[in-house]
């Protein structure tokens, strides 16, 4: 069942340690088959070295396990909320990548301060309010998804143009058209956090790029006038085929 | 004698350089057989490349070598004190991992500022007072153990819930149910130090997480209501099977 | 056509990830045949693992593709401007190396604060003004080249003595006598940015080296009195043969 | 001639990139045969991949090449001065390791703030005054050696107890009983710089360790009462056999 998607999700999970985004098994990737309304996610707490495509767990959009012998990632309710709220996304990634978690701990957005950021994120990468006591004690992981959705709604952000978020006091979630693209965005988010950290330390001024720079970078990769890569106009190229 | 434990301790020692926690041979791991009242520790000053399971030295809880041709780690008296004072621990690790040593040099606790920290440490990771002149000049390594025990007693900390400590002006010690789990905690401590450093630089505010977040993370991994990994309730899973 | 140069440019591109200068495919190298007035550049958005020497695209000094089945790098107009303005250079590199982008984001020059810098760059590495709205919306990549040329003209800098520049809010471009030398300069620029960052944080004072130190380091590697390496006087040694 | 020493010096040079201490070929190691009054040093500007033991150049204590087809390292006059001034040392290392160069650029000593430092360096690692215009323009490399010797004399430092120095605006030199031990000290110096940087940023207070801690660490590794490693009392153990 969903063997191709399981392999795709497995491969995307295995890229996380290679990209330096996870310590131990602190990360997970899922991918969805929108036609069937089912998503595939990493099982909870299995070593990357032991993981196999067939270990992936199939879950429906109510968060119910449909197939699989193992427990799905404990973050499954977060993924469920995001798939329901963000209908265009095909994959989700959660990591504890360290510079992103530093911004989440400081409860600061990752500011858009250069073209590296603008090429992938059309806005500052927002940090949510930390969960309240009630939200943590009841349905913690589900509420983690809800606070992301609420943050995007409150700020009027387009989840397709800004494919990632920091959960306050916790860490980053990213998404994309495919699991692979969501992994790409997780790496870009960490790189942007690292650069923004050092730029901020150097100057302590407001160094946001202007809106017209954000517009330019967004539209040269998206829509009818895109001119990036070998096959544009097409915003769904294989993630690794992006170039600057 | 204790061949299985020697292999376990050997393997745990060999993980330290792989996890980026040691330069040269600046680290050691031990593990204890509580029934026999004996622990096994790395010999002093042997290259990791030359180390063999049979080189491990067997020591009793008075710190006396019971078996082994080589000198045990010079930190053996520290381990002896900790095994006697903390009866539930099965393994101890000492490293000079760099961000942890930075906090120890600055004589600052590693503050609990995110879920990464809360998943493993129920409190700020405390830093001890530096040893006094008398403590350093007489029985230095033994006093290193004693200042850790005193710090936990003075602050009313539970060593099982906060499985690590910084010795002021020196560096980190961690422990756990097994040598492998103690190594896991040594890595988490270094990651937490790295993140807390950058978060602190970004904001210079008090960004401690609230107590209810610490409670939530502690109890979802420990005790009857734990729901992590494939075999919970069970707080003794193989370290690498933790997942966030 | 230009097979030797294609191999040289291919090899130089492949060095970028090995030197830790690129994430994904965020970098490009070109090299020029001055006699033919043609340059060779990486195609746009192809994975490093899939890249072959024969994929390199040949472009003339009007920026017109002369040979190649793939789109050239989207930065090709920047390279075209630089080859026309800087007649002595034989290769150009663009990366998003992270400490360099931090300085570009903060809109700060990389200050010349030590001999490591002075051995390769005779001045502070300048940061350009960010592009204006008009410059970004029309002929963005061409204007990126022009702002570099303008910065060198306005400041009276010699592009041969200071073989690199930061584009404000964007990142570094370097050049050199050959593609390989331009790659070497890209790595030195990133190392200098990293060191200057930490030195600046430590002291927040003006720590520029004096002019006579810059002179000494420049002239011991360049011109008739150079005494570096095995074949001096010769400023065109293979990049990796530099030594300090 | 001196084949065994050439191999030893070659091996020590090859350790520098493995320890992350050099970019390109920016480092050199030499070793001396005190009986013959000759030292062996890396040739100038040869790639590490191309280097062979037989390429090592033999130089006498007047700095004259005695054997070898290649130019010796351009830093040879610095090594000559140090071998003459510090009669007990058997090997010298120079690198541009990045955190050490940051301190040298900021013209700050690396402060002794923890036991990691105290285990190898009995004092703050001093930074020299930058060379004057006259010193740079005439016999630059020789004067680099002289300013190190002068700094140790002016401050009353024992080169055997503090086996390293930063040259202001330049970078680190270390030495030791053997070339291998000098490499070990070069790595420790860089680790100490990295830790001291972060500790300083965290606290901006004077966090020097007390003199009695420096005494304790020095004397437990040196002299009749040393108790480290497998063969003490012996301060000349293979470098990598140090343990904390």
């Amino acid at each position: 069942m969903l063997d191709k998607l399981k392999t795709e999700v497995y491969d995307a999970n295995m890229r996380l340690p290679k990209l330096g985004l996870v310590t131990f098994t602190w990360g997970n990737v899922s991918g969805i088959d929108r036609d069937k309304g089912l998503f595939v996610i990493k099982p909870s707490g299995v070593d990357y070295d032991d993981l196999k495509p067939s270990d992936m767990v199939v879950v429906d959009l109510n968060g119910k396990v449909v197939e699989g012998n193992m427990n799905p990632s404990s973050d499954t309710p977060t993924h469920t909320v995001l798939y329901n709220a963000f209908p265009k996304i095909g994959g989700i990634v959660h990591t504890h990548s360290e510079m992103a978690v530093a911004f989440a701990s400081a409860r600061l957005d990752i500011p858009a301060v250069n073209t590296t950021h603008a090429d992938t994120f059309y806005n500052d990468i927002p940090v949510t309010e930390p969960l309240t006591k009630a939200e943590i004690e009841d349905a913690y992981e589900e509420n983690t998804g809800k606070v992301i959705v609420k943050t995007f709604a409150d700020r009027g952000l387009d989840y397709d143009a800004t494919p990632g978020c920091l959960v306050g006091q916790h860490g980053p979630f990213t998404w994309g058209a495919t699991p692979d693209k969501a992994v790409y965005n997780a790496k870009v988010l960490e790189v942007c956090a690292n650069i923004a950290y050092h730029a901020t330390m150097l100057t302590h001024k407001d160094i946001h790029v202007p809106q017209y720079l954000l517009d330019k970078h967004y539209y040269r990769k998206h829509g009818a006038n895109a001119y990036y890569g070998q096959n544009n106009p097409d915003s769904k190229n294989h993630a690794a085929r992006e170039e600057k």
Side-chain angles (χ1 to χ4, degrees), chain A:
Chain A
M1 185 179 187
L2 297 175
D3 284 344
K4 184 152 168 285
L5 184 59
K6 281 179 186 168
T7 297
E8 197 180 343
V9 169
Y10 166 81
D11 287 345
N13 273 290
M14 297 305 285
R15 285 180 72 200
L16 295 182
K18 281 177 197 146
L19 289 166
L21 295 174
V22 298
T23 301
F24 298 115
T25 62
W26 304 349
N28 48 66
V29 184
S30 70
I32 194 166
D33 181 323
R34 286 283 175 189
D35 292 336
K36 296 199 170 67
L38 298 174
F39 69 90
V40 163
I41 192 165
K42 202 181 103 181
S44 183
V46 176
D47 285 1
Y48 282 96
D49 286 347
D50 299 336
L51 209 61
K52 299 185 302 293
S54 59
D55 294 336
M56 301 298 119
V57 182
V58 181
V59 183
D60 70 19
L61 283 169
N62 298 312
K64 208 191 129 210
V65 172
V66 171
E67 189 202 64
N69 299 317
M70 288 200 255
N71 295 339
S73 165
S74 60
D75 291 314
T76 299
T78 313
H79 291 241
T80 307
V81 169
L82 294 178
Y83 281 125
N84 282 301
F86 296 164
K88 286 194 278 182
I89 67 177
I92 297 171
V93 172
H94 174 49
T95 78
H96 286 234
S97 66
E98 297 182 25
M99 294 305 284
V101 176
F103 275 86
S105 303
R107 299 176 49 190
L108 293 170
D109 295 350
I110 302 173
V113 298
N114 50 54
T115 60
T116 307
H117 185 114
D119 275 326
T120 300
F121 297 96
Y122 187 51
N123 287 90
D124 291 355
I125 299 165
V127 63
T128 72
E129 289 294 306
L131 296 194
T132 64
K133 187 166 192 292
E135 285 168 343
I136 283 177
E137 289 176 356
D138 176 36
Y140 183 16
E141 289 81 7
E142 183 179 338
N143 287 326
T144 297
K146 286 183 177 170
V147 79
I148 294 171
V149 175
K150 181 177 188 308
T151 299
F152 273 66
D154 288 353
R155 297 206 195 180
L157 294 173
D158 174 358
Y159 69 85
D160 199 31
T162 305
C165 187
L166 303 177
V167 175
Q169 300 177 336
H170 185 166
F173 286 81
T174 57
W175 46 81
T178 63
D180 201 36
K181 181 78 183 173
V183 169
Y184 177 87
N185 293 339
K187 178 66 179 180
V188 178
L189 186 149
E190 178 66 7
V191 169
C192 289
N194 186 51
I195 297 172
Y197 172 85
H198 291 98
T200 300
M201 291 297 113
L202 279 169
T203 177
H204 295 288
K205 291 180 187 159
D206 182 350
I207 52 172
H208 279 87
V209 294
Q211 186 59 41
Y212 51 82
L213 187 144
L214 293 166
D215 289 342
K216 172 69 179 182
H217 279 262
Y218 185 70
Y219 291 112
R220 70 175 184 167
K221 287 198 167 177
H222 299 85
N225 295 316
Y227 57 92
Y228 252 58
Q230 300 300 328
N231 302 300
N232 266 316
D234 175 3
S235 66
K236 304 268 189 312
N237 277 342
H238 184 283
R241 303 217 167 194
E242 304 291 321
E243 186 194 32
K244 281 175 191 149

